[in-house]
Structures are given as C-alpha cells and as structure tokens.
Amino acid sequence: MAQFEEVSQKSKLHPKPEGLTLQYGTAGFRTQAKHLDHIMFRMGLLATLRSKKTKSTIGVMVTASHNPEEDNGVKLIDPMGEMVTATWEGYATQLANAEQDSLLKELKVVIEKEEIDMSEPASVYVGKDTRPSSASLSHAVLDGVSSLGGKTHDYGLVTTPQLHYMVCCCNTHGSYGSPTVEGYYQKLSQAFLQLTQNVPNRTDDQKRLLVDGANGIGALKMREMEPFLRSELQVVLSNDGSSGKLNHMCGADYVKVQQKAPQGMNMGVGERCCSFDGDADRIVYYYTDSKGCFHLLDGDKIATLISTYLKELLTQAGLNLQVAVVQTAYANGSSTRYLEDVMKVAVCCTKTGVKHLHHAAQEYDIGVYFEANGHGTVLFSKAAQKQIQELVKDPNTNDEKKRAVKLLESTINLINQTVGDAISDMLVIEAVLAIRGMSVQDWDTIYTDLPNRQLKVTVSDRRVIDTTDAERKAVTPAGLQDAIDSLVKKYKNARSFVRPSGTEDVVRVYAEADTQESADSLAHEVSLAVY
Ligand code: NG1
Ligand code: ZN
C-alpha cells in the first residue's frame, strides 16, 4: 500500500543494527546515543499510530534525563500528558526489536490489534534535551511521523515536563493553558506572583535561590523564565551549560546519590540551593551548615513540606478533602513515620517509576507523589478542584477562608499536574517557604532522615532478581531475601532491599540504619550477597 511505501523507503535511512535488542524500560528506551537512530524513527511511527488510535496529540521526548551525556533515550507521552500505557510500551519494544525486513509486518500487527483507522489524521509533538546527539535523533522521530503522513510540531529544546504540559494543553483545548513555552511561563509565573504577593516584606535573602542547572535544558529554560518572575525570585544559576558537561559532577541525581554538593556551585553557609536533573523533571534542595555539614532535602522532604502546607490550607478553608502521599521503597523511613504518625496522612507505597506513583495518586482527592530522588508532583481530582473553585466564588466565604482557598487555587495553577517538573516544584517550594515564613533550616528539621546508602552492583543478568511488596522483598533468586533479612538484623533501625534497575544494567541496593557507618556497612554486605 502506498502509505507504507514511504515507511519502507525512509526506514532504510534509519537501519537497525542486526541483533541489537532494547526494551522500553522505566522511562522509555535509554542507552548509548549511537544505538538509537532506528529506535527514534520507529517511535515516530508508533506515536503516529497512538495518535490515530486516541484521536489526540501524542508527545515524543528525546532525552536520557540524568544519565551521562553520551547516552540518549526516548519516551512517549499520552494525551493527558501522562506516560504511555503498558500495552503500548509492549508494542514499542516489539517494534524496536523487529529486524529491518519485518518492520512493516510488526507495524501492521499493532494496526490490526488496535483496530486503527489509518485514514484518521495524526499529530505528534516532539521535544529534545541539550545532548549533542538529540538534534539528529529528534529528526529521526520527525521522519518516522511524516513517513506515515502524521503532522508534527517540533518544539526543539524543551524540558520533559514542558512537553508533557504542551500535550495536555493541546488535548484539553486550552483549558489547562496555552500550548507554548511562553504560555507555560505565563501560567506558572502568574500563579507564583499571586502566591508571593500575599507575603509582605520578603527580604532579598529570602528571594535568593542558588540553582544548579546540571549543565542541561533546565538551566536554559530557567534563564528564559526569569523575567516573568519579576525579581520575586532571584535565581543564581550555576552549571548553566556554558562550559561543563551535562550531569557531570552535578545535577539532582549526583547530589542525591553522592549526598554532596555539585561542583561549580559557590555556596555560602546556610544558603538555600537546589539542583535540577538533565531534563528538569527532578529537583532536590540542600544547604551547608556553619560546621560545613551538608544537608539534603530530597523528594521525601519536598512531599512532607507540600502535603503539610496543603493540609493546613484545607483546614483553614474548611474543606474536607483527603490528602495522601505516594512514595516508593526508597522513601526514607523517617519520612514515612512522620507522615503517618504526626501528620496523619495516608501513605501509599508503589513500585519505582513515576507512572506507578502517578496512577496511585489519582485515587485520592489530593495525591502528593514524590520519589526520594526528587521526581514528583501533586494531583488534584476534578471534584477537589471544583470544590475549591466554587468556594472561591462563594460570597458567604469569610476572609480567612477566602485567603486559604485562594492560596489553594493559585497553588493548583502553579503545579504541573502532568508529571514531576523541577521548575514548577521549585516555585511551589519557594512559595510555600515564603507563605509559611520558613527557612530551609526550619524545613529540614521537620524530621531527621535515617542515614542511608544507595549502591549499584553489576551482575551478569540482573533480571534473575524478581521482587514483590512494592519491590521491598526479593522473591528470586532463592535465598537472597533470607540473606538480606539476616544482615538487616545485625543493625539498629535498619532496612534494606535490592531491585534490578529499569534504566541501567545494574542491580540497585538500598540500606538505611541508625548511623551512616551502619547504613554503609549494611549496603556493602547486601551488595556482596547479590553478587
Ligand atoms: P531505575 O533505574 O529503575 O532505578 C531510576 C530511578 C527512578 C526513576 C527512573 C526514571 C532511583 C532509585 N531510580 O530508575 O526513580 O526516576 O530512573 O528516571 O532513583
Ligand atoms: Zn529526568
């Protein structure tokens, strides 16, 4: 058929290296950039089919997030800005691994299984990060879409969450915002200014924030956004991409895993600092105290700050809406205890990977979800948003209630509900600290983290490890969990688990205990049990 003629021709320009197999993992395909050209072309094809099937715009983001600059990757974005569904992840893997001569056959399998009407139009939004390989790889995506007759909009350099936002704006016909980068800046900055204008006499110190841009797209976009914030936030940007290498000794993942400040940041004692990751969907905060001790405020602390703030506003507004926090096994034990015992909020634990947290958070009126690494956001159910909007308009709402409910409304506008977003999360945190009159030190002392350690172990086949109970227990290989259990018993307040990574060819080991020495030693011992 003529419509496949072009696919057939163009696919020859994006040949698959024979024998190479890759899997659509936790965050799409991710590997060395040099292996990805055919994958990109094929994801262009698949996104076009997904668009025809859903009769909506689909997004394709070219990025490998926090991974090294030499890597790249791709993820598909569904109509409401969420991650693509599991069935389509399966199609992505099948299509990616089809040898050159069976590509059309595999494409037709998807078309038949999903009963896709090929006469439907298709629209695909494409974005990319700042990796040197991203330009040509995103062209391969565009080639894939156009070879199936789909329309494309190339947003060029954008953060991952910006592209999620664009897709959602487009499919909700503007009710979420306008699908332009400027529309994104306008929506977020207006909400931020509304929130902070309620706080009189903020000092320059309170407005000043040191931002590590990981030498990536987040730095670029922060520069673009700054004028919209009208000096209400004074960003001191480091690792802005002008000289350093992407994610190298900097960025949110480096800071979280190494538990130390990034290189290239000139931190004064007690100064509030944060780091984005390579595609600006994660953020962590930190500061150094007068003794030179480094303090990390990770995704768990962010979730605690935001959920406490929201709960307080709901009480002031007299709204009976349930706030829940969704975490993963990596959440620090102290955070879970604080949220459950002191804050009395429901806490739910899911498997690693934002799509799992996102789905769990959708079950509540207000679902705050964060991975410990700083990837997360807040979801407000339609009903909750409606109640808040109605209360804002209600003439019988008294002044105190009105203030609280207006703050809630602006907070909703400031949050990117499609996915974790470093820029949006940063503005929410800055607004919450300002409104509650808290310093980063006050925030840090809400609870004390249990010392912890994360390690990576390389094994011949990481898939021999299978887990259950939201990845907190290993079911296979036989004997591994018993070995971990008996090691954990040797330490106080200890916990440890292992799981195969979904983005790297490694097994991840996590341990926490009463002292850093114990956490380090437990992680080390568990690593030996895995090896
Ligand atoms: P894997 O490699 O599956 O552990 C990592 C992160 C996830 C998630 C994905 C996608 C940890 C321990 N894991 O997944 O939370 O963010 O990358 O970027 O941080
Ligand atoms: Zn990322």
Side-chain angles (χ1 to χ4, degrees), residues 444-516:
D444 191 30
T445 50
I446 293 183
Y447 64 82
T448 307
D449 271 328
L450 275 170
N452 59 89
R453 179 63 61 201
Q454 231 195 84
L455 295 176
K456 299 183 199 184
V457 188
T458 308
V459 295
S460 54
D461 182 8
R462 72 190 198 279
R463 297 192 189 277
V464 299
I465 298 183
D466 198 10
T467 61
T468 184
D469 187 23
E471 305 178 321
R472 289 173 289 195
K473 283 202 157 45
V475 212
T476 60
L480 176 59
Q481 189 57 47
D482 289 342
I484 297 174
D485 289 344
S486 57
L487 291 170
V488 166
K489 273 194 199 126
K490 290 169 44 185
Y491 300 89
K492 224 174 130 191
N493 295 338
R495 185 170 74 91
S496 179
F497 66 91
V498 300
R499 56 174 278 280
S501 158
T503 61
E504 287 176 69
D505 190 13
V506 295
V507 173
R508 293 199 199 283
V509 173
Y510 177 86
E512 61 185 33
D514 61 337
T515 64
Q516 191 61 55

Side-chain angles (χ1 to χ4, degrees), residues 213-503:
N215 289 318
I217 185 69
L220 232 89
K221 297 294 149 179
M222 214 41 249
R223 280 255 151 80
E224 276 178 21
M225 188 172 194
E226 250 191 305
F228 291 81
L229 297 169
R230 295 201 216 124
S231 307
E232 281 304 316
L233 185 67
Q234 287 152 22
V235 170
V236 183
L237 200 56
S238 56
N239 299 319
D240 64 355
S242 54
S243 56
K245 204 172 167 183
L246 179 71
N247 296 328
H248 182 65
M249 314 282 270
C250 62
D253 197 64
Y254 174 85
V255 172
K256 166 73 181 157
V257 176
Q258 304 298 324
Q259 303 185 27
K260 61 181 177 202
Q263 275 192 1
M265 190 179 242
N266 197 2
M267 298 164 67
V269 171
E271 270 194 305
R272 203 165 67 252
C273 310
C274 68
S275 284
F276 296 174
D277 76 335
D279 60 343
D281 58 2
R282 290 192 198 173
I283 185 167
V284 293
Y285 269 68
Y286 43 90
Y287 69 95
T288 308
D289 66 22
S290 55
K291 293 187 193 120
C293 190
F294 177 76
H295 294 253
L296 176 70
L297 295 94
D298 63 2
D300 305 332
K301 282 245 156 101
I302 297 173
T304 307
L305 179 77
I306 296 178
S307 55
T308 310
Y309 160 77
L310 291 174
K311 249 196 125 190
E312 211 171 81
L313 288 183
L314 289 172
T315 309
Q316 286 167 10
L319 279 165
N320 185 20
L321 295 169
Q322 192 193 13
V323 180
V325 175
V326 184
Q327 304 185 315
T328 70
Y330 292 98
N332 196 277
S334 291
S335 73
T336 316
R337 216 162 299 130
Y338 178 82
L339 286 163
E340 283 179 334
D341 300 349
V342 183
M343 284 305 303
K344 311 277 183 215
V345 302
V347 179
C348 154
C349 184
T350 71
K351 282 161 80 170
T352 303
V354 179
K355 62 185 173 206
H356 301 296
L357 289 100
H358 192 91
H359 286 143
Q362 281 172 328
E363 298 298 311
Y364 302 94
D365 296 330
I366 300 177
V368 180
Y369 74 80
F370 271 89
E371 295 190 299
N373 61 31
H375 193 165
T377 186
V378 185
L379 303 185
F380 295 82
S381 71
K382 282 219 165 69
Q385 296 194 48
K386 196 162 166 247
Q387 277 194 47
I388 291 166
Q389 280 153 7
E390 277 169 5
L391 206 54
V392 173
K393 289 188 213 126
D394 187 345
N396 298 320
T397 312
N398 67 33
D399 283 355
E400 194 212 341
K401 275 191 181 178
K402 190 140 251 168
R403 176 188 171 272
V405 88
K406 276 192 166 169
L407 288 176
L408 279 168
E409 191 185 39
S410 300
T411 308
I412 294 174
N413 288 332
L414 185 51
I415 288 169
N416 183 345
Q417 293 194 54
T418 64
V419 77
D421 181 336
I423 293 179
S424 153
D425 289 338
M426 175 192 80
L427 294 174
V428 173
I429 293 163
E430 291 301 306
V432 172
L433 292 177
I435 292 164
R436 305 187 85 210
M438 285 169 83
S439 66
V440 68
Q441 291 78 10
D442 298 332
W443 171 22
D444 191 30
T445 50
I446 293 183
Y447 64 82
T448 307
D449 271 328
L450 275 170
N452 59 89
R453 179 63 61 201
Q454 231 195 84
L455 295 176
K456 299 183 199 184
V457 188
T458 308
V459 295
S460 54
D461 182 8
R462 72 190 198 279
R463 297 192 189 277
V464 299
I465 298 183
D466 198 10
T467 61
T468 184
D469 187 23
E471 305 178 321
R472 289 173 289 195
K473 283 202 157 45
V475 212
T476 60
L480 176 59
Q481 189 57 47
D482 289 342
I484 297 174
D485 289 344
S486 57
L487 291 170
V488 166
K489 273 194 199 126
K490 290 169 44 185
Y491 300 89
K492 224 174 130 191
N493 295 338
R495 185 170 74 91
S496 179
F497 66 91
V498 300
R499 56 174 278 280
S501 158
T503 61

Side-chain angles (χ1 to χ4, degrees), residues 30 63-66 75 160 277-282 375:
R30 228 175 251 192
T63 180
S65 183
H66 60 280
K75 39 190 172 188
T160 295
D277 76 335
D279 60 343
D281 58 2
R282 290 192 198 173
H375 193 165

